[in-house]
Amino acid sequence: MNPSTRLRREIADRVAQALLASGEAREVWLEGALACGFAHAASDIDLRGIVEGTLPAWESRIVDGVRVDLQATAPQRAEELRYLLRSFDVHRDDLGSFRRVRASMHDLMCLRTALSYGSGRWGPVLDPEERQGYRRWAVADQAEVAASLAEDLTGLVADGLAEPVGVVCRKLATCLTALECAAAGHPVLSDKWLPLLASAPSRPPIDPAHAETWEWFRPVQRRVTRALLDCWPVNDPLRTPPNLGAPDAGWLPQRYADGWFLRRGDVHVPVTGGQLLGWLSTVSTDGA
């Protein structure tokens, strides 16, 4: 814990004690990067008070030169968010629940990181099953982001728009780091903290600039697939995948409650677990 983190945790302790002692909140949660042990010299402190009845209009305050951002939340809202983590009910023909959860991913990240203050210490708000629920949704969410970026790449590469391709490749590299962090069970914090969460060494940049085929995309496919398999293991025998033409040309996997799909843009091809492993084998032939 660096000095900036230590100072902010001490301030969070004092503010939490005061809120609880005054009866302004029935619980006080520390959230975000600081709850995970990360802070820098200009970091704010994010505290949430769980408050019965009318929510107070708290304002940020400066304590020992550090800004403390206070939010008040009703226990009912906290319970609504926890409910989302208790199932993964998204289906390919009914994405309503997926859209609802994706719209709340920031709030769910805050809840995933939340530590509740009591008896002089901070303890996790979520139980292990709820933390696993967040992991499933975060992995699926980042896989969806990767698929959207891959769709942009297929169009940009086709039209030879090199500078926009470079922008999207950089975004995709960050997305893949976030995906792997989620698959490892970490909360998906803001981009600047991802290198501290990632366990894998830095990887070469995604660069289609001098490639004549889509083989440059295969490491992306493998990383997305392995992250999804970490969350939803497959023990099926390897099977021949469906004929996708060029299997590396922008295709990525996705996992919903009703099974596996290979996806390119708006085209979703259902596959079994064995077929997914077969497709992974076909895009793993360059030895990387």
Side-chain angles (χ1 to χ4, degrees):
M1 187 180 293
N2 66 25
S4 295
T5 303
R6 188 177 301 109
L7 170 64
R8 283 155 179 78
R9 291 294 287 262
E10 292 170 355
I11 294 171
D13 287 359
R14 301 204 310 266
V15 175
Q17 290 167 3
L19 289 171
L20 292 171
S22 67
E24 294 179 77
R26 80 174 201 188
E27 294 181 61
V28 178
W29 297 353
L30 176 64
E31 298 178 341
L34 183 58
C36 298
F38 304 134
H40 55 71
S43 291
D44 301 330
I45 299 170
D46 294 317
L47 291 178
R48 185 179 305 276
I50 306 302
V51 178
E52 299 277 7
T54 303
L55 298 182
W58 285 331
E59 295 183 356
S60 298
R61 59 187 70 176
I62 304 297
V63 180
D64 293 349
V66 177
R67 190 173 77 184
V68 180
D69 288 330
L70 294 173
Q71 296 190 57
T73 296
Q76 295 88 343
R77 173 56 180 163
E79 180 57 30
E80 288 171 3
L81 290 172
R82 296 181 81 155
Y83 176 79
L84 295 177
L85 300 179
R86 293 170 187 153
S87 67
F88 184 78
D89 59 351
V90 53
H91 293 262
R92 175 66 195 100
D93 58 356
D94 180 12
L95 296 178
S97 62
F98 202 8
R99 296 187 185 100
R100 191 161 56 250
V101 172
R102 295 193 79 206
S104 298
M105 283 308 299
H106 177 75
D107 291 341
L108 291 173
M109 181 277 292
C110 291
L111 180 59
R112 166 62 180 81
T113 61
L115 303 175
S116 182
Y117 189 81
S119 301
R121 64 179 61 189
W122 298 94
V125 169
L126 297 183
D127 62 35
E129 183 177 349
E130 291 167 332
R131 291 158 74 94
Q132 177 64 14
Y134 172 85
R135 181 187 181 216
R136 286 191 292 266
W137 283 114
V139 167
D141 174 59
Q142 291 300 320
E144 190 78 8
V145 174
S148 178
L149 292 170
E151 182 177 11
D152 282 338
L153 277 179
T154 58
L156 293 169
V157 169
D159 283 338
L161 300 173
E163 291 186 1
V165 164
V167 171
V168 174
C169 285
R170 290 190 291 274
K171 288 184 176 182
L172 181 56
T174 300
C175 169
L176 293 175
T177 302
L179 172 62
E180 289 165 342
C181 286
H186 300 300
V188 180
L189 302 175
S190 60
D191 293 352
K192 63 179 175 286
W193 299 117
L194 292 177
L196 299 182
L197 290 170
S199 58
S202 59
R203 300 174 185 268
I206 303 165
D207 185 13
H210 305 293
E212 296 182 359
T213 70
W214 273 79
E215 284 196 13
W216 57 270
F217 193 65
R218 294 186 177 193
V220 175
Q221 294 173 310
R222 293 193 290 273
R223 290 175 67 182
V224 173
T225 307
R226 288 166 182 162
L228 288 167
L229 288 171
D230 280 347
C231 201
W232 290 280
V234 168
N235 298 314
D236 300 352
L238 189 147
R239 302 291 185 192
T240 301
N243 183 7
L244 302 175
D248 49 13
W251 290 93
L252 286 175
Q254 181 59 286
R255 172 62 160 77
Y256 300 124
D258 50 348
W260 291 96
F261 297 83
L262 292 174
R263 172 180 178 180
R264 186 176 188 268
D266 292 326
V267 179
H268 290 72
V269 178
V271 292
T272 65
Q275 288 175 316
L276 176 74
L277 297 179
W279 172 80
L280 177 60
S281 177
T282 67
V283 298
S284 298
T285 56
D286 62 7

